[in-house]
Amino acid sequence: MRPKKLILSAWGPYRGREEVDFSRFEKNGIFLITGATGAGKTTIFDAITYALYGALSGAERDKERSSVRSDFADAGTPTFVELVMEHGGKTYQIRRNPEYYRPKKRAKAGGVTKQKENAVLVLPDGRVMEGVREVNAALLELLVLDYQQFKKISMIAQGEFAKFLSASPREKTGIFREIFGTGVYERFTQELGMRSRRLYGAFMEQKSKLDEDVSLLAHSLERDIWPEETSKELERLSQTQERNYEVIRECLQKMEALAGENAASAQKEYEEAEKALERQTEEIRAREEENRRIEQLEQAKKELSGLQERAGEFSERKLKLKGAVNAAFVESVREKERQLADQLLQNREEGRGQEKELLHLQKEAGELEAVLGQEMRIRELLETAREKEELVLALKQLNAQLTDQLAELERGQQTYLAKEKEYWERKREYEEAEQKRRLSAIGLAASLLEEGKPCPVCGSVVHPAPAKLKEGVLAQGELSRQKKIITDMEAKQKELHGELAGRKSRADDLRQRIKEKEEKLSERKKALSEEQNQVCLEYLAMEPDEAEALLSRRCGRAREIKGLLQEKERTCKRLKSQGEELMERHREAKEAFETALSEYGFSNEEEYSRARLPIGEREKLERELADYQKRMAAARELYEHLNSQVKKKEIQDLQQPRQIQEELRKKKSIVLDRHRLWEQQSALLKKTREVMEQKRRRMEEAEKEYGYVKDLENMACGNNPKRLVFEQYVLAGFFEEILRAANLRFGKMTSGRYEMSRAEEVGDGRIKDNLEIQVMDYYTGKFRSVRTLSGGESFKASLCLALGMSDVIQAMNGGIRVDTLFVDEGFGALDAESLDQACDALLGLAGQNCLIGIISHVPQLRERISQQLIIDKTGGGSLIRNGV
């Protein structure tokens, strides 16, 4: 990537739009970025990295992107970076802006709004891509390097490698870890340590659980049923400090076999006791069954006798039920006659109600007829009244707006006059200063003369009495700045004049609108005052909305009543016809009731009434008669059946057989408890033995895995003959590559005197690293510490390390070549010869088609590097200009 042009707008210390043309540096390949501290030299590289990656070069600068907007910039000046670059022989254009707040585009709206972050990429074929995510992905694919890699390769940061040169081995490790990303090896070593500790903990946990199972088993066994020597053996094995789990397993197997034999013996004894108990229980059950049948026969005999005694009572109930059933048939006819009587009464009551409602509707229709006739006139008057109120409200609002507009116009006129006065004063000062500078041209030329160098006018190298520069003459830069201020003030005056004209036009428009509204209001008042109709005046006395609602209700009701009157007349006629029909049907039903009384055997209505029973009582009588007949038949059948089985048998005594049964039951329970106890002991031993086997296998597996991981941890942590940590092993390879690349330049810069190398021996045996730098001094033929180098020599070494680092990182990324390099380093510590050597080394890179920008304020570099970007730091923001 080679930059061709860079445009900054309201960026960092730069107030407005600044442009850097890198294409003019391509001939020599090296240029100087110089200026006062804080002027914005490093900001040039920041802007390039932001254009490419949407990120900034400094860690502190990248915390908040909105902070890059210039505090000197005008509110309307946009903040953006635009970069034109060449890559692979093709030209690309990138424009990015960060997220920041700007004034709203609509002047009337006022306030500020958030400008969202955006990116636009113009490809060589003219296609345009837009969007931060899309542009980032396209540039990453194009450049291959990510942001961190580009920053480390293309920017040699100020003081970073000077600090690295004399840093302790631990500090070097931290720096290399950040640059080469070798933290993964340290994390791998840490993970080995944590995994080793976890596996050791798992091994000890399994061993502890195994010991706990043995101790718990010794306390869980029922010692009273076990032989004494067996219990003592298990107790002795569980209390041993170093337990032999194989011996314990064999002991548990023997105890499990013994428990199984005792459980089988108890099972056999239990089965014999259970059979004897079943035989005794069956004999008792047979004798109890005979006794129960004898008792049932006596009970059946008593029940049959009682039912035979109630035969007369149930004959009377049968006759009562028959009369109630006949009365029920007559009741259906009687119910029809009652329903018709109720319908006839309801018809007469409904007819009277409908006639009353008809009279009420006729009266209401007469009252509403007058309103219905004046409906259209009333609505016109209400609309006029509503327009009158709206005109009054509109006039009030327009008068308030006119008052505000006149006040703004007056304030604007005062502001305009004050600004105009200031403008003419500033313009007069500028013209006086410009006139004074023109008159002082000779003094300015004389100030550039140097003793021993020829005068550009007369050619003399001796200058005994050069002209003096008059006091108070402004520099050309300051004069240009004042001229720009006057130009901006003149543009602002024109803008204010336009705003005043607009405000006056809006005030005149408001006056015209007020006049029109007042004429319309006068017409509406006159129309309302001429109305004489009393019905209309009643509605005009109300609020327009209230009157409108009342009029709508009354007119709607008047129209509704017309339809209701017709419906009520039809209803009254229909009810009268239904009443005549119901009277005839009621007469016929009454005659049918009298006929039904005779047919079902009732001499009169009184006899029928006595025979009636509620349906619940009829159903109850039916159930009682049916139940009596069933009980009678069942009792007779049961008595005959039991009498044929029992014959002349007597009840037997069961006390002695039951005593024998209880003794057998107790014996069975005792044997069952003994069997269950042995089964429990056998299951406990089996489960404990199986669980111990599983835990023992897991313990052995954990111990085996722990051994492997512990050996790896010892190797990675430096617990090895060479005391070499895993990460240090990887870093040593990178470090030696960097030193080899650095020595290619370091030898030239020191005229072949020095060569850097990695110290093979570690001075302190307690330290597990070997990233110490030693220097071979070929003048003495001995190695010496890098800390013994002078300030200028240290700078040469740090610069060579930085360039070597850049070479190695490029090689690591597939041999990618960097076409642009920025050096932000302290050249002030170098003497003239060293400075020449450093510049030669950088020029050597530039000669390899590499564009190099040096960021420095050292005066000697301005003499040695002809191509320059000079950053002028002013009170109104920094400016970029080309140096010579």
Side-chain angles (χ1 to χ4, degrees), residues 364-374 558 562:
E364 188 177 1
E367 294 173 353
L368 295 174
E369 188 67 30
V371 176
L372 193 60
Q374 296 291 331
K562 289 183 179 180

Side-chain angles (χ1 to χ4, degrees), residues 830-857:
L830 300 181
D831 55 23
E833 181 183 359
S834 298
L835 191 60
D836 289 337
Q837 292 172 343
C839 290
D840 290 341
L842 294 174
L843 285 170
L845 289 177
Q848 301 169 12
N849 295 322
C850 180
L851 183 64
I852 298 178
I854 298 178
I855 302 172
S856 178
H857 52 72

Side-chain angles (χ1 to χ4, degrees), residues 359-373 535 538-539 554-555 557-558 561:
L359 292 174
H360 179 73
L361 288 173
Q362 289 172 346
K363 180 181 178 181
E364 188 177 1
E367 294 173 353
L368 295 174
E369 188 67 30
V371 176
L372 193 60
V535 176
E538 177 187 355
Y539 284 92
R554 287 181 175 179
C555 292
R557 181 60 179 169
I561 285 174

Side-chain angles (χ1 to χ4, degrees), residues 216-227:
L216 184 62
L217 176 64
H219 292 86
S220 300
L221 293 175
E222 294 289 339
R223 303 200 177 194
D224 296 340
I225 65 174
W226 289 95

Side-chain angles (χ1 to χ4, degrees), residues 35 66 108 131 282 354 444 529 621 653 740 744 832 871 878:
S66 61
K108 294 182 179 179
E282 186 63 29
Q354 291 293 330
L444 289 170
S529 64
L621 275 175
D653 185 13
R740 277 194 291 270
L744 295 176
I871 314 297
S878 296

Side-chain angles (χ1 to χ4, degrees), residues 509-565:
D509 180 60
L510 286 172
R511 289 192 185 96
Q512 181 62 29
R513 290 170 63 189
I514 289 171
K515 182 179 178 181
E516 293 173 357
K517 296 289 184 184
E518 288 175 344
E519 291 174 355
K520 291 182 180 179
L521 178 60
S522 178
E523 292 174 2
R524 302 301 184 272
K525 287 181 177 179
K526 182 179 178 182
L528 292 173
S529 64
E530 292 176 352
E531 180 59 42
Q532 300 296 326
N533 187 290
Q534 290 300 320
V535 176
C536 296
L537 291 176
E538 177 187 355
Y539 284 92
L540 288 176
M542 306 178 188
E543 290 292 330
D545 292 340
E546 181 183 355
E548 181 79 26
L550 178 60
L551 178 64
S552 297
R553 288 198 301 272
R554 287 181 175 179
C555 292
R557 181 60 179 169
R559 296 186 184 92
E560 181 184 6
I561 285 174
K562 289 183 179 180
L564 291 175
L565 284 172

Side-chain angles (χ1 to χ4, degrees), residues 2 13 34 89 117 137 368 474 514 536 554 628 678 710 757 775 782 788 790 883:
R2 181 186 292 268
T34 184
E117 183 179 8
L368 295 174
L474 298 179
I514 289 171
C536 296
R554 287 181 175 179
Y628 174 75
W678 280 113
K710 185 62 179 176
S757 63
V775 178
K782 295 180 180 180
T788 63
S790 65

